[in-house]
Amino acid sequence: DLQTALGMAEASRLKGGSKKTKPVQRKDGSKGPKRTSEFGILSRMRGFFKKVVLLSGTPSPNGLIDLWGPMYIIDRGARLGDSMSAYKKRWFSEDRWSHRIEPFEHSRGQIMTAIEDVFFALKEEDYLELPPLVVRDHKVRLDPKHMQMYRRFERTKVLAEYDIEAVNSGVLTNKLLQFANGSMYLDDQSAQHIHDAKLDQLESIMEESFGQPVLVAYSFKFDMDRIKKRFPYVRIFGESKSDSRDWNAGRIRMLLTHPASAGHGLNFQHGGNIAVWYGLTWSLELYQQFLKRLHRSGQLAAEVIMHRILAHETVDYDVLRVLDKKGATQDDITDAVRVRMESLEPWRMAA
């Protein structure tokens, strides 16, 4: 019954701690209604459950700030406070201009001490024997003409050749990522092709894979369209109900997916051991979850190969630096509550 039910959920999906979703922008410019979020539903139902277990491979992709939502579902605010605003006020500072949130120096120790009785982590090396994950970065260089265009656009926020103007730094960053990938969206949402540097590199990777299945992550719809045009045999994940089954049976030469649609819970390890980042994501959660589609229990290959296609001297390398920084933060948090297998030996013997 509900009093003894065991709730299990992907903890990182609760990290926002908001009971309502953000309104969706409609095509006519209006906004749709706010809806109850997963966090809102679980917090409303929490009183009916005696026990809750939250699981995640990425419990805190953005650091300490992500812990309040999942912890509230566990203890209804007993350890970290009964609201996100109270949590922020106690342990974080927020820049009034950029709204960047940073923990105080003492915050990590106090927060981890508060939750250590209900939060623990195991790392793969503690309990699994996985093949090595080999990361291969491919630095592609834009030709001098396009590199000059890129740098001028980065400096002035205006690309006169295509009548594109970035109204602020956030828009500019997104546009630069598009440029690095080979196309850019115009005001009418059509895609302007610029170069094929990454597409050519992807073709080289496919040739070097000698017919083995390759899982490819893309960023923008124009990436998908251009990859589909260059590689007619590609399968777009989600277009068929049999995608996962066919991939794991080795029937798909290239499976193309957006990391947001293949981030959590999918088992692709039986179909191949080669993956490609055509364009990186700013989200550490999506980045790490995508890596784990192939590098997980049941992978029988001698190694898992992760190719990353990076446009030289572009914002691609800024994304890498951010992912590395967030990864260090999350590792610090999980290490603080990491359970070593030797500490479990008495329990395992008793069981």
Side-chain angles (χ1 to χ4, degrees), residues 18-115:
S18 176
K19 294 183 179 181
K20 295 288 185 179
T21 61
K22 293 181 179 179
V24 178
Q25 187 83 24
R26 293 171 174 151
K27 291 183 178 180
D28 61 4
S30 63
K31 293 185 177 180
K34 292 184 178 181
R35 303 184 185 279
T36 304
S37 66
E38 289 177 281
F39 175 84
I41 294 172
L42 284 174
S43 60
R44 184 182 301 175
M45 297 296 295
R46 178 61 181 88
F48 292 102
F49 291 87
K50 188 175 181 180
K51 295 180 181 178
V52 175
V53 175
L54 302 179
L55 305 175
S56 179
T58 51
S60 50
N62 299 304
L64 291 167
I65 195 65
D66 288 341
L67 294 177
W68 183 82
M71 285 305 306
Y72 181 84
I73 299 302
I74 289 175
D75 65 9
R76 287 185 278 187
R79 291 168 177 80
L80 300 183
D82 58 7
S83 70
M84 175 66 89
S85 59
Y87 178 61
K88 288 181 182 178
K89 184 177 180 179
R90 181 175 178 183
W91 281 302
F92 299 85
S93 64
E94 183 172 1
D95 187 281
R96 61 180 298 186
W97 304 112
S98 67
H99 299 291
R100 183 179 180 85
I101 298 173
E102 295 286 352
F104 300 124
E105 289 187 8
H106 61 270
S107 297
R108 178 179 175 273
Q110 291 183 0
I111 291 171
M112 300 313 297
T113 297
I115 67 176

Side-chain angles (χ1 to χ4, degrees), residues 8-22:
M8 304 186 74
E10 167 60 50
S12 62
R13 297 171 69 93
L14 309 172
K15 63 181 183 292
S18 176
K19 294 183 179 181
K20 295 288 185 179
T21 61
K22 293 181 179 179

Side-chain angles (χ1 to χ4, degrees), residues 173-210:
T173 299
N174 193 49
K175 290 293 186 184
L176 291 174
L177 282 171
Q178 294 174 22
F179 194 115
N181 277 22
S183 298
M184 294 181 74
Y185 286 119
L186 305 180
D187 289 341
D188 62 1
Q189 294 304 303
S190 62
Q192 172 63 53
H193 171 245
I194 299 176
H195 65 81
D196 288 335
K198 287 196 174 185
L199 204 58
D200 293 341
Q201 182 60 54
L202 179 60
E203 185 166 358
S204 295
I205 292 172
M206 294 304 297
E207 290 174 355
E208 293 169 4
S209 67
F210 299 109

Side-chain angles (χ1 to χ4, degrees), residues 218 237 257-264 266 286:
Y218 71 93
F237 180 71
T257 179
H258 192 280
S261 65
H264 293 86
L266 294 173
L286 293 181

